[in-house]
Amino acid sequence: MSIATNLLGIKTSLPEHVTLVAVSKTKPVSDLMEAYEAGQRIFGENKIQEMADKWEQMPKDIEWHMIGHVQTNKVKFMAPFVSLIHGVDSLKLLQEINKQALKNNRIIDCLLQIYIAEEETKFGLDQDELASLLTSNEFKELKNIQIVGLMGMATFTDNKDQIKKEFTQLKTIFEKTKKLKSENCQIDILSMGMSGDYQLAIECGSTMVRIGSSIFGGRN
C-alpha cells in the first residue's frame, strides 16, 4: 500500500477533534512529500538536525513537531521554525527554549511530558513535579513559551489493560492540570497514542496521536 493510501485510511478513521502527527523520522524527503501531497501538514521528528534539514527542503506551510528527547544545547537549531516541542520534562529545558524563542522573536508551544510507564527508560515528570513546576515563580517568568498540553508514552507491552490504565491515569492528570491557567499555560492538548495503541488512546481521551510505521512502513 502506498503512503498516501495508508495516510488517508488513518485520517478517515480519526475523530475530528484528534490531530494526526505523521512521525517521519529516518524517512527520506520523498516519502514526506508523498504524505504532503496527500494533504498531511504536521510531521514529527526526533532528531533536531534531521528536522532542520527537512524544514529547509520542504514547503513552508508544514508544522514541525519535535517528538524526541531534547538536549538543551540543540534547542537553538530548531527555535526559528519548530511548531510544537513534545517531550519537555524540566524547568531547565523550558528556560533554554524560552531563551532561544526570545532570540527569534517567537513564542514556542510546548507539551510537558508526564511519566506514566512502568519502565525506567522513559522520561517525564510525576504529578508532584508537574504541579510544582507550573506554580513556580521561575516558570511564570517565561514569556516566550506556552504550555499547550501534556503528553505521555505508555509502557511498551502487549498488555492492553496496563496501557489503558496508564492512558486513563494521564487523562486524569490532564483534567486536573487544565484548571491551572496562567499567561504561559493554557492546556488543551493531550498527546498519547502511537501506531500500536492510538485507537485505545483516543478512547481514553487523546486529542493528538503520533503515527509513523502505519503510514510510512517500518523504520529504515
Side-chain angles (χ1 to χ4, degrees):
M1 293 238 281
S2 72
I3 289 167
T5 309
N6 291 342
L7 179 72
L8 294 171
I10 290 166
K11 276 197 155 171
T12 41
S13 77
L14 292 179
E16 257 178 51
H17 68 279
V18 176
T19 301
L20 171 63
V21 180
V23 176
S24 48
K25 60 187 185 184
T26 76
K27 299 298 174 187
V29 167
S30 57
D31 282 9
L32 276 71
M33 282 308 300
E34 192 180 330
Y36 178 88
E37 299 296 346
Q40 183 62 18
R41 291 295 180 272
I42 303 174
F43 292 92
E45 292 283 330
N46 72 337
K47 290 197 168 67
I48 290 173
Q49 195 53 58
E50 185 181 341
M51 182 169 72
D53 292 345
K54 287 172 176 174
W55 169 70
E56 282 182 0
Q57 295 175 60
M58 291 183 66
K60 293 299 172 264
D61 61 339
I62 290 172
E63 273 188 38
W64 292 99
H65 289 204
M66 178 61 196
I67 61 169
H69 187 65
V70 179
Q71 294 169 294
T72 45
N73 62 343
K74 301 265 176 76
V75 172
K76 58 181 177 282
F77 299 114
M78 65 175 168
F81 68 90
V82 70
S83 287
L84 183 63
I85 302 175
H86 282 234
V88 180
D89 60 357
S90 70
L91 179 64
K92 184 182 162 214
L93 178 54
L94 275 177
Q95 287 168 328
E96 181 61 26
I97 296 167
N98 187 74
K99 180 175 129 185
Q100 299 300 336
L102 180 60
K103 283 185 186 172
N104 286 278
N105 199 21
R106 298 186 64 209
I107 291 173
I108 294 178
D109 289 345
C110 301
L111 301 178
L112 292 176
Q113 181 162 2
I114 309 304
Y115 183 85
I116 54 170
E118 290 178 15
E119 287 171 0
E120 283 305 305
T121 53
K122 299 268 196 301
F123 299 96
L125 303 157
D126 66 27
Q127 285 193 68
D128 294 341
E129 291 166 334
L130 173 68
S132 62
L133 170 67
L134 292 179
T135 52
S136 70
N137 290 329
E138 294 96 332
F139 172 72
K140 288 172 181 162
E141 284 164 10
L142 304 176
K143 304 292 184 211
N144 287 77
I145 55 114
Q146 181 79 17
I147 302 299
V148 295
L150 304 180
M151 63 82 64
M153 292 162 76
T155 304
F156 189 68
T157 173
D158 291 330
N159 182 343
K160 290 276 188 278
D161 290 337
Q162 185 177 346
I163 295 170
K164 187 175 183 178
K165 187 185 88 181
E166 290 166 1
F167 284 158
T168 305
Q169 181 195 347
L170 184 53
K171 175 71 159 83
T172 306
I173 298 168
F174 171 74
E175 290 301 337
K176 272 190 207 159
T177 314
K178 269 167 81 168
K179 296 171 185 146
L180 291 175
K181 286 188 166 55
S182 61
E183 271 182 44
N184 57 358
C185 180
Q186 294 285 332
I187 287 181
D188 59 15
I189 293 170
L190 178 55
S191 172
M192 56 187 192
M194 299 188 286
S195 283
D197 57 19
Y198 73 91
Q199 279 132 333
L200 182 55
I202 291 167
E203 281 171 33
C204 295
S206 176
T207 67
M208 182 178 278
V209 293
R210 305 180 299 279
I211 300 178
S213 54
S214 299
I215 297 171
F216 296 104
R219 281 194 199 143
N220 295 350

